[in-house]
Amino acid sequence: MVTWSAWPGERFELGEGLRSVGGRLVMVDILTGRLLDLPDGEPPRVLATVDGPLGAVAPLGSGWIAAAGEGISVLGGRVLARLLDGRMRMNDGVADPRGRFWAGSMAYDNTPGAGSVYRVDTDGTVTEVLRGYTVPNGPAFDATGSTMYLADSAAGEIHRYSMSPDGDPGPRSSFARVHEGSPDGMTVDDEGHLWSAIWGAGEIRRYAPDGSLTQVLEVPARQPTSVCLHRGRLIVTTATHGLPTPGPLDGAVLATPIDVTAPPARSAHLT
């Protein structure tokens, strides 16, 4: 039986984007536009706030690159690209092993196929690389960056792409399908297995590199949103968004001991 503990303090409407950075744990609360630090045993602390939704961040030197509002920017610095209109927002994102930042977009009303995935190269160029997603989540990369996993949350499917050294995705293949709930935030561990939060099912799932399901952990919250392996624990964010009567642990940040490790969040690079 899995035993979970909860961080003290706030319950989040849409907490996501857990990252292990420099020995500490950070997350975003998307709809309030906050980047948060999660000290052990203490309530979350606000590191930065943006005007609009904050989909995800990756470390960038001593700061952060962010999928924020309607585009991608350096927090407290330059805007790299304004990509969207008021019907859309940025969602999940991550840096790959080569220092490129990847982030998805989605419509506020979940318009089918309206979302895209963008790549920020190290020279600051922003390119739309994938289209036709409704709610793209992840992506997550293997240790070499030669494989990218991307959740098509609305379709209940996780896709896999072979990546060129230049960051161009090859043909899409189906990696795993979820029949109850939706795949959300993901990470790859040091054994090459993919972990995914399953929104709506109250589960965390671990998949082998061949796509076989190897482990299912039940979470005492209905809407887990992201996962992180940090200092001997599996950490999970959850959300109250859309729940008419949230339970006591809906929206909490949860942790359970685990003997699996993963690399810390990779840093983005800009020249």
Side-chain angles (χ1 to χ4, degrees):
M1 180 177 179
V2 180
T3 300
W4 296 91
S5 59
W7 247 261
E10 190 170 354
R11 300 295 185 254
F12 297 99
E13 183 179 0
L14 198 54
E16 283 210 31
L18 279 168
R19 302 287 183 263
S20 178
V21 180
R24 67 179 179 177
L25 194 64
V26 301
M27 62 172 284
V28 298
D29 188 29
I30 292 180
L31 299 181
T32 65
R34 293 178 298 162
L35 174 63
L36 301 154
D37 184 27
L38 293 171
D40 276 348
E42 299 178 28
R45 300 173 183 169
V46 177
L47 296 175
T49 303
V50 301
D51 183 15
L54 178 57
V57 301
L60 177 69
S62 60
W64 308 92
I65 188 171
E70 298 174 5
I72 297 172
S73 61
V74 176
L75 287 187
R78 60 178 168 141
V79 175
L80 297 173
R82 298 188 186 278
L83 304 167
L84 310 173
D85 59 29
R87 299 170 297 175
M88 305 281 294
R89 68 166 176 85
M90 300 302 296
N91 199 42
D92 204 0
V94 70
D96 71 16
R98 295 177 182 263
R100 297 173 291 229
F101 183 64
W102 298 73
S105 66
M106 59 175 287
Y108 280 103
D109 65 358
N110 291 344
T111 299
S116 297
V117 176
Y118 300 88
R119 184 189 69 227
V120 183
D121 290 308
T122 57
D123 65 358
T125 302
V126 180
T127 304
E128 183 184 39
V129 292
L130 294 169
R131 296 180 178 179
Y133 280 82
T134 302
V135 183
N137 270 297
F141 292 87
D142 69 358
T144 64
S146 60
T147 298
M148 179 178 75
Y149 301 96
L150 185 69
D152 186 355
S153 296
E157 191 167 7
I158 299 172
H159 298 149
R160 177 167 52 193
Y161 293 88
S162 294
M163 304 296 294
S164 77
D166 293 330
D168 296 321
R172 185 178 79 188
S173 63
S174 179
F175 177 73
R177 182 173 291 277
V178 174
H179 298 288
E180 181 180 350
S182 303
D184 205 323
M186 304 184 294
T187 195
V188 177
D189 66 28
D190 285 328
E191 297 175 10
H193 287 58
L194 180 75
W195 296 77
S196 177
I198 309 298
W199 171 287
E203 292 178 350
I204 305 298
R205 295 189 176 190
R206 187 186 190 217
Y207 295 93
D210 64 1
S212 59
L213 180 63
T214 63
Q215 193 170 5
V216 178
L217 301 179
E218 293 186 0
V219 179
R222 282 169 278 182
Q223 297 176 161
T225 56
S226 71
V227 292
C228 184
L229 297 161
H230 175 77
R231 292 184 170 180
R233 293 175 297 173
L234 174 66
I235 317 293
V236 178
T237 51
T238 70
T240 63
H241 183 68
L243 294 177
T245 55
L249 293 180
D250 288 317
V253 180
L254 302 167
T256 190
I258 201 153
D259 59 0
V260 180
T261 60
R266 299 178 179 95
S267 295
H269 303 289
L270 289 177
T271 56

